[in-house]
Amino acid sequence: MDVQAMLSDAWASVQQDWAEFGSDEDVGIAPFDRAWPGLAPASEPRADPDERAIALATSPDEVPGMLSGTGWGPFLGLVAAADGADALSEAGWTSETPCEEATAMLRSWQRRFGVRLCSMGHSTLVVSVAWPPRTQEHAWQVAMEHYAFCPDLGQEYDDFEEYAQGLVDAKTWWMWWD
């Protein structure tokens, strides 16, 4: 699946929704009037992605944020898969976003940001991030990808600028669909 084309189409839909329902007052400084810029560039590899995920998954301070059970768990599950992207389809993950698109997106982030799937629930994904954006400009580009992939983030985060700032050196990314 072509992630660039998928996000470009999704961004057009986000722009349409913003034009119909939103305004700068609703979402803070927002790039929704801008054309799709393309995929954010890869971060410079630093930490080992697997070691980073293990450190987060074994930290008592980090685990509660990664295992949001929404009243149904959390439950532990093991999936025979080559990586987190394949685990989504092997586990039969379902959401508002088709599994094929989520798998392609995760695979792209694995390559560019060293993400590892740490938790999946009904319509949620949490990934560890070994190589997060380190500058505000890079974080804006990544945030645009997040909003295109998971437009419901706009319901959780009122201010795009604040969301993007939170991605600078973030240890995890959390996606949620209504």
Side-chain angles (χ1 to χ4, degrees):
M1 169 165 276
D2 182 352
V3 172
Q4 166 65 20
M6 175 187 80
L7 290 179
S8 179
D9 291 345
W11 186 252
S13 179
V14 167
Q15 285 182 303
Q16 183 178 9
D17 289 347
W18 179 77
E20 186 174 340
F21 302 111
S23 69
D24 283 341
E25 293 82 36
D26 294 336
V27 292
I29 301 169
F32 302 124
D33 59 344
R34 297 182 190 175
W36 174 246
L39 294 175
S43 289
E44 180 181 329
R46 295 180 298 280
D48 177 86
D50 295 328
E51 289 177 12
R52 175 72 166 229
I54 290 167
L56 289 171
T58 57
S59 167
D61 295 333
E62 300 294 336
V63 169
M66 290 192 298
L67 298 178
S68 56
T70 63
W72 300 336
F75 302 102
L76 178 62
L78 299 176
V79 179
D83 60 18
D86 286 342
L88 289 178
S89 56
E90 292 297 327
W93 185 76
T94 59
S95 174
E96 188 174 305
T97 294
C99 187
E100 180 182 82
E101 291 181 9
T103 298
M105 189 76 260
L106 269 183
R107 184 154 288 115
S108 177
W109 287 342
Q110 286 173 173
R111 196 175 51 256
R112 293 181 295 131
F113 302 105
V115 306
R116 295 297 184 261
L117 180 64
C118 289
S119 174
M120 64 179 162
H122 177 70
S123 298
T124 61
L125 295 176
V126 180
V127 297
S128 64
V129 187
W131 318 316
R134 299 191 71 158
T135 67
Q136 189 59 40
E137 180 182 336
H138 194 199
W140 261 62
Q141 293 172 302
V142 173
M144 289 173 78
E145 282 190 28
H146 287 190
Y147 269 67
F149 174 59
C150 183
D152 290 344
L153 287 172
Q155 296 175 34
E156 184 71 22
Y157 299 95
D158 293 333
D159 188 313
F160 181 88
E161 176 77 15
E162 185 178 313
Y163 179 76
Q165 286 175 346
L167 295 178
V168 174
D169 292 324
K171 296 176 185 178
T172 59
W173 294 342
W174 180 80
M175 302 290 147
W176 161 80
W177 291 267
D178 209 356

